[in-house]
Amino acid sequence: MGEREDILAGLEKGVIEGEPEKVVELAQRALAAGIDPLDAINQGLIPGITEVGRRFECKDYFLPELMMAADAMKKGVTILEKEIAAGGRKRESLATVALGTVKGDIHDIGKSIVGTLLSAHGFDVIDLGVDVPAERFLEGVTDRGAGVVAMSALLPTTMPYMQRVIQELETRGLRDKVKVIVGGAPVTPEYARQIGADGYGDDAVAAVRVLRGLVTSGQ
């Protein structure tokens, strides 16, 4: 195996094994070796996080492994994207996502994991934080160009606010311009359909898979 293949395989393995320090070292080696940073992401890091997602859905991996892998991926992408930007290029974005936990709900961990995985898979993520009112989701669309609104709720009492945001999108004439995906512990596929969401993810990996499907299919 040559140096290029060795580095790309190491990046993939580093993400799978959730080793951020190893991934940082290999990302720097990749740049020193003249490997295109886009190739390092697409042929090293992406296969790694894809494999992590597969193992998570098969229940071979659990939340701690997923979080460690996402952290390793994020650190590697940060180094490589800086070099991409320095070269006057930009990593292709699948879509811009306005992501937040709805008003009245301050749960952050699940939402942040979704944001990290979406970024790792090529989405531009506007993290609106927690306790987000409808107006800020709408500003993500009108002022920052988001084509996707992604909402999280961890409480049955805050879950209904998702419908309020969708109604506001309809009232402002924005609903047809965006995809809406929802998730969180009390949310179900039936509820997502009931309130008019386009998609539902029961965990972070599913959210990425569903959103990729929505964006690439244009449904």
Side-chain angles (χ1 to χ4, degrees):
M1 183 181 292
E3 183 181 23
R4 174 187 170 88
E5 290 74 19
D6 183 53
I7 292 173
L8 294 176
L11 286 168
E12 179 178 350
K13 184 179 179 183
V15 172
I16 292 172
E17 297 183 351
E19 296 181 322
E21 292 180 359
K22 180 177 179 181
V23 169
V24 167
E25 176 194 342
L26 285 166
Q28 292 167 339
R29 274 186 60 195
L31 297 177
I35 296 174
D36 187 323
L38 275 171
D39 288 348
I41 293 174
N42 293 330
Q43 299 175 30
L45 298 178
I46 291 291
I49 200 69
T50 300
E51 173 62 16
V52 170
R54 187 194 69 77
R55 294 185 185 188
F56 183 79
E57 293 200 307
C58 291
K59 302 190 185 305
D60 291 331
Y61 270 16
F62 297 94
L63 192 56
E65 289 88 354
L66 183 65
M67 292 176 68
M68 288 191 293
D71 182 52
M73 175 87 186
K74 186 175 183 178
K75 285 183 166 59
V77 166
T78 297
I79 291 171
L80 295 166
E81 283 193 330
K82 186 177 180 181
E83 186 67 17
I84 292 169
R89 297 184 297 164
K90 185 178 180 183
R91 188 180 170 206
E92 185 178 355
S93 171
L94 288 174
T96 299
V97 182
L99 169 70
T101 304
V102 296
K103 185 177 180 180
D105 199 321
I106 60 170
H107 291 86
D108 184 65
I109 293 177
K111 179 269 300 173
S112 294
I113 294 172
V114 170
T116 299
L117 288 188
L118 285 173
S119 296
H121 283 271
F123 290 89
D124 284 334
V125 177
I126 305 167
D127 190 340
L128 300 173
V130 300
D131 192 23
V132 180
E135 187 61 32
R136 288 186 57 208
F137 281 108
L138 268 60
E139 287 173 357
V141 176
T142 59
D143 298 353
R144 303 177 71 178
V148 177
V149 170
M151 294 182 281
S152 172
L154 269 292
L155 299 171
T157 52
T158 57
M159 183 175 69
Y161 196 81
M162 293 173 165
Q163 187 171 20
R164 163 86 178 275
V165 176
I166 292 174
Q167 289 171 340
E168 288 292 331
L169 288 168
E170 292 172 347
T171 300
R172 303 284 186 89
L174 298 171
R175 182 64 186 90
D176 293 339
K177 303 179 188 302
V178 298
K179 300 296 183 186
V180 177
I181 183 171
V182 296
V187 183
T188 65
E190 292 74 21
Y191 183 75
R193 285 193 292 272
Q194 178 187 329
I195 65 175
D198 298 300
Y200 157 79
D202 63 353
D203 57 45
V205 173
V208 172
R209 173 168 40 77
V210 170
L211 195 49
R212 283 179 63 93
L214 286 172
V215 171
T216 57
S217 70
Q219 293 178 353

